[in-house]
Amino acid sequence: MSSHIAESDEKTTVSIQTIDKCPECGSTHLIRNYERGEVVCADCGLVITEKVVDSGPEWRAFTPEERQKRSRVGSPTTLTIHDKGLSTVIDWRDKDAMGKKLEPKRRIEVIRWRKWQIRTRVHSSIDRNLAQAMSELDRISAQLSLPKSVKEEAAMIYRKAVEKGLVRGRSIEAVMAASIYAACRTQKIPRTIEEIAKYTRSGRKEVARCYRLILKEINIRIPLSDAETFVPRIASELGLGGSVQSKAVEIIRKAKEMVLTVGKDPAGLAAAAVYIASLLENEKRTQKEIARAAKVTEVTVRNRYKELVKKLKIPLPVE
């Protein structure tokens, strides 16, 4: 059996587990040598890859408790922490590795270490800016019950804004709120700019101005708001059933086909569709209740409701 060595450097980075076929003869009869880090074809003898680095731990564990005890890695990196979670933190409990209380002399020394650790962790103006911004991100996200994916996206957008110098001379709170709104739009999470601005001191006008600046200066693709994404949220807040949601989505899709949604507020359109669906499915809610759930005015709901009923010729039940 002749042996050939693959010359491509790219093959050395391939994981042993991802190789399933010999590129020379097409055989699937492969020999995996984990000690040498090689994959060899048993038919033609080709060394498909060599010097594969084992990214796993150098120790073995046979129980979950043993694995947890031997693991030496920390939590994964995240953009929602100003230093991405890479720095260490000195514990505040003043105990040693065995859980014993430190002596008074050692405790004073550890306090000094902790003080300098905090100073070195946030040492530049950008670090201080990011630290303040990420605390704002946590606060607003908690108020709005936003998922982790939106927080990560908002943190990435804000970091790009810092790199472009968009935060200089502007409110950190307003730029972060605008980043959160942009992240909600990209992740298709139904949140209006009024809802986000409500939890800031900057106000809607300032948040909207920062949002327009982010769209202009940072290369991010924002999908158009869809009224359908607002329907489940409005319906769940009012305790409406699945049949009402399905009917509301059906009404919105018919409105799209007749080009009635262009230039209309998605939240208002969704509220009107939910109102009509609640009447049709005999789960009636008032316009005031639906407007409050959708965070729009009653006038908006009434106008969109009349327009949809008239243009789509929806037969409403007689009260």
Side-chain angles (χ1 to χ4, degrees):
M1 184 184 293
S2 61
S3 177
H4 309 286
I5 297 178
E7 297 181 354
S8 175
D9 291 333
E10 294 179 0
K11 290 182 181 178
T12 61
T13 61
V14 179
S15 169
I16 287 179
Q17 297 297 335
T18 59
I19 301 166
D20 56 359
K21 191 169 66 173
C22 175
E24 189 77 20
C25 66
S27 172
T28 56
H29 189 197
L30 307 177
I31 299 171
R32 290 174 167 80
N33 190 329
Y34 290 94
E35 291 182 0
R36 296 174 61 87
E38 293 179 348
V39 179
V40 183
C41 178
D43 293 339
C44 68
L46 174 72
V47 179
I48 299 170
T49 184
E50 59 180 345
K51 297 178 183 177
V52 176
V53 178
D54 185 5
S55 58
E58 81 284 2
W59 43 261
R60 292 192 303 168
F62 302 98
T63 62
E65 292 79 13
E66 191 177 1
R67 179 178 294 277
Q68 190 174 5
K69 189 175 180 181
R70 291 189 175 188
S71 178
R72 297 189 298 273
V73 298
S75 57
T77 59
T78 173
L79 293 172
T80 58
I81 302 175
H82 76 278
D83 56 5
K84 299 182 182 178
L86 294 173
S87 63
T88 56
V89 177
I90 299 174
D91 196 10
W92 56 270
R93 285 174 290 192
D94 293 334
K95 292 182 180 179
D96 61 13
M98 304 301 292
K100 295 179 181 179
K101 279 279 186 181
L102 297 176
E103 297 176 1
K105 186 178 179 182
R106 176 65 70 179
R107 198 178 304 147
I108 293 169
E109 193 175 352
V110 170
I111 289 170
R112 195 182 303 117
W113 293 346
R114 194 180 293 120
K115 188 186 295 182
W116 280 108
Q117 192 266 347
I118 292 168
R119 287 178 181 176
T120 54
R121 192 180 178 198
V122 185
H123 63 280
S124 67
S125 60
I126 292 176
D127 283 332
R128 287 193 293 273
N129 184 301
L130 288 174
Q132 185 179 341
M134 296 310 154
S135 66
E136 281 295 319
L137 173 61
D138 288 337
R139 184 182 65 80
I140 297 172
S141 299
Q143 295 278 3
L144 294 169
S145 302
L146 296 175
K148 189 178 179 182
S149 58
V150 173
K151 288 180 66 177
E152 291 283 347
E153 185 77 19
M156 185 187 70
I157 292 169
Y158 184 85
R159 287 174 185 273
K160 287 181 178 180
V162 170
E163 289 174 9
K164 291 273 188 178
L166 305 181
V167 187
R168 191 177 293 112
R170 293 181 178 84
S171 166
I172 293 174
E173 199 177 16
V175 178
M176 178 49 79
S179 301
I180 291 171
Y181 179 62
C184 287
R185 291 286 299 271
T186 56
Q187 297 288 323
K188 295 187 176 180
I189 301 295
R191 293 291 185 278
T192 62
I193 199 166
E194 288 83 4
E195 287 179 79
I196 296 170
K198 186 172 71 174
Y199 297 106
T200 67
R201 294 184 297 271
S202 304
R204 184 198 181 282
K205 191 177 287 186
E206 182 63 25
V207 174
R209 190 181 293 119
C210 292
Y211 173 66
R212 288 194 295 270
L213 183 68
I214 285 172
L215 290 186
K216 183 181 177 182
E217 298 294 334
I218 300 175
N219 186 23
I220 52 173
R221 296 185 66 182
I222 303 291
L224 294 173
S225 286
D226 193 349
E228 288 182 36
T229 59
F230 286 87
V231 170
R233 181 183 155 208
I234 297 169
S236 63
E237 195 165 328
L238 294 168
L240 296 170
S243 59
V244 174
Q245 293 188 38
S246 301
K247 195 69 179 177
V249 170
E250 184 185 332
I251 290 167
I252 291 170
R253 286 175 181 171
K254 285 181 181 178
K256 283 180 184 175
E257 290 173 6
M258 296 186 67
V259 200
L260 301 176
T261 60
V262 178
K264 304 293 191 303
D265 177 28
L269 199 65
V274 169
Y275 178 64
I276 296 168
S278 69
L279 295 176
L280 294 174
E281 296 297 322
N282 201 24
E283 292 188 42
K284 297 176 183 179
R285 297 292 187 276
T286 63
Q287 292 182 3
K288 186 176 182 179
E289 289 175 314
I290 291 175
R292 192 184 298 118
K295 306 295 188 296
V296 295
T297 63
E298 288 182 61
V299 177
T300 302
V301 177
R302 196 174 301 116
N303 290 341
R304 296 290 84 79
Y305 154 71
K306 289 178 180 178
E307 186 178 357
L308 289 175
V309 169
K310 183 180 177 182
K311 295 290 178 66
L312 298 178
K313 297 178 181 177
I314 301 172
L316 293 176
V318 179
E319 297 183 3

